[in-house]
């Protein structure tokens, strides 16, 4: 379905205090209470794991996480290391192994590639949710995938930075951050996010994916129709290829910030459908 653009639901700053930049897990109801308030499903609600992408941190999930917690879900929002697809996925795989019970794993942007790699073969992951995300297949590189369709302005907006270990990090030029990444957020909010962005290793765009969890795990996708970081046509292609339940919204790249109710609804749909 297609959702028309809605008024901005956040204030002038992202509620970074709701989520620490590291792992957050709170707000769950006991299983008995959840079953009493959560409808006809008798199975416990899955833990929702929210994985952020490049040039961001876990606070980007604040609005969605708070809504999920109010609905009785346990939420975990880890700090994605942003050091490379294979190593970041290994970190997430190890983290997921510490969480008991069923899980719904959500990835925004580069985080979509990480969850695709990390959850392959994990029977406890019941659903994947891709939010304006990279969704690679086995053997693909994100750099090549991102250039496959027109519409992205990301490559022209990047600047190289030293990583302190002889390698190269990439960040978005602050002057271009609003137009490319956060066009439907207030300028003041965008400026704060640009100033505090977390660079990503350039290796993340050349690493080769070795697994594609969406081939075996049901998936949902949110396509951001006004995305300038990842081409909306690429997002549509990926969702169709993965057979994802797809929602299209008139949004910039940071759809979980500008449309948190919609993203929360999609996550809850995935959690309910796979219980």
């Amino acid at each position: 379905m297609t959702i028309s653009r809605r008024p901005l639901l956040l204030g002038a700053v992202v509620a970074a205090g709701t989520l620490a930049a590291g792992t957050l897990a709170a707000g769950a109801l006991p299983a008995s209470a959840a079953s009493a308030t959560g409808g006809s499903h008798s199975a416990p609600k899955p833990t929702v794991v929210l994985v952020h992408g490049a040039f961001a941190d876990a606070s980007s999930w604040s609005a969605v996480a708070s809504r999920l917690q109010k609905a009785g879900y346990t939420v975990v929002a880890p700090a994605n290391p942003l050091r490379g697809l294979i190593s970041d996925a290994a970190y997430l795989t190890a983290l997921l192994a510490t969480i008991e019970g069923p899980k719904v794993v959500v990835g925004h942007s580069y985080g979509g590639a990480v969850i695709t790699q990390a959850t392959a073969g994990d029977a406890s992951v019941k659903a994947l949710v891709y939010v304006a995300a990279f969704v690679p297949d086995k053997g693909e590189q994100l750099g090549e995938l991102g250039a496959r369709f027109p519409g992205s302005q990301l490559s022209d907006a990047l600047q190289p930075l030293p990583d302190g270990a002889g390698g190269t990090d990439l960040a978005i030029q602050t002057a271009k951050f609003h137009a490319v990444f956060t066009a439907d957020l207030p300028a003041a909010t965008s400026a704060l996010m640009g100033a505090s962005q977390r660079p990503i290793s350039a290796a993340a765009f050349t690493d080769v994916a070795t697994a594609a969890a969406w081939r075996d795990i049901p998936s949902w996708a949110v396509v951001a129709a006004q995305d300038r970081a990842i081409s909306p046509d690429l997002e549509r292609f990926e969702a169709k290829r993965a057979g994802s339940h797809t929602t299209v919204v008139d949004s910039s790249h940071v759809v979980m910030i500008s449309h948190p109710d919609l993203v929360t609804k999609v996550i809850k749909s995935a959690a309910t459908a796979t219980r």
Side-chain angles (χ1 to χ4, degrees):
M1 64 178 178
T2 301
I3 307 297
S4 61
R5 186 168 182 170
R6 307 181 311 174
L8 182 65
L9 299 178
L10 294 185
V13 295
V14 179
T18 304
L19 287 177
T23 299
L24 178 151
L29 292 172
S32 59
S35 62
T37 60
S40 60
H41 293 281
S42 58
K45 289 183 175 181
T47 297
V48 179
V49 181
L50 303 171
V51 181
H52 69 82
F55 322 116
D57 60 29
S59 68
S60 60
W61 287 113
S62 294
V64 170
S66 64
R67 285 162 171 75
L68 290 169
Q69 289 175 336
K70 288 177 182 177
Y73 289 90
T74 297
V75 178
V76 178
N80 189 347
L82 306 181
R83 296 297 85 200
L85 178 58
I86 303 305
S87 62
D88 292 344
Y91 167 79
L92 181 59
T93 298
L95 176 66
L96 293 173
T98 70
I99 302 171
E100 295 183 358
K103 292 173 274 291
V104 171
V105 185
V106 186
H108 172 246
S109 190
Y110 167 70
V114 175
I115 71 171
T116 296
Q117 179 80 24
T119 62
D122 188 340
S124 72
V125 177
K126 303 304 180 182
L128 301 171
V129 182
Y130 295 105
V131 180
F134 282 114
V135 188
D137 199 355
K138 183 178 179 180
E140 291 181 341
Q141 298 175 313
L142 298 190
E144 180 277 329
L145 189 61
R148 193 175 296 181
F149 292 86
S152 172
Q153 300 173 9
L154 181 61
S155 60
D156 291 336
L158 293 176
Q159 61 178 341
L161 298 170
D163 70 354
T168 301
D169 276 352
L170 298 172
I172 298 176
Q173 299 171 47
T174 55
K176 298 181 178 181
F177 194 88
H178 182 71
V180 173
F181 210 69
T182 57
D184 56 354
L185 298 187
T189 302
S190 182
L192 287 173
M193 293 178 64
S196 62
Q197 65 177 292
R198 290 183 56 211
I200 186 171
S201 172
F205 293 95
T206 58
D207 284 347
V208 177
T210 62
W214 49 262
R215 290 190 171 276
D216 301 303
I217 301 173
S219 63
W220 279 251
V222 178
V223 172
Q226 299 301 320
D227 201 335
R228 297 296 175 263
I230 298 177
S231 167
D233 287 340
L234 174 59
E235 293 173 22
R236 291 185 179 94
F237 163 78
E238 294 170 327
K240 182 178 180 179
R241 179 172 69 173
S244 304
H245 306 272
T246 304
T247 300
V248 181
V249 57
D250 192 19
S251 173
S252 76
H253 188 59
V254 290
V255 60
M256 69 289 190
I257 299 176
S258 58
H259 295 78
D261 286 332
L262 173 73
V263 173
T264 302
K265 182 179 179 180
V266 172
I267 294 170
K268 289 168 69 176
S269 295
T272 300
T274 53
R275 285 170 67 190

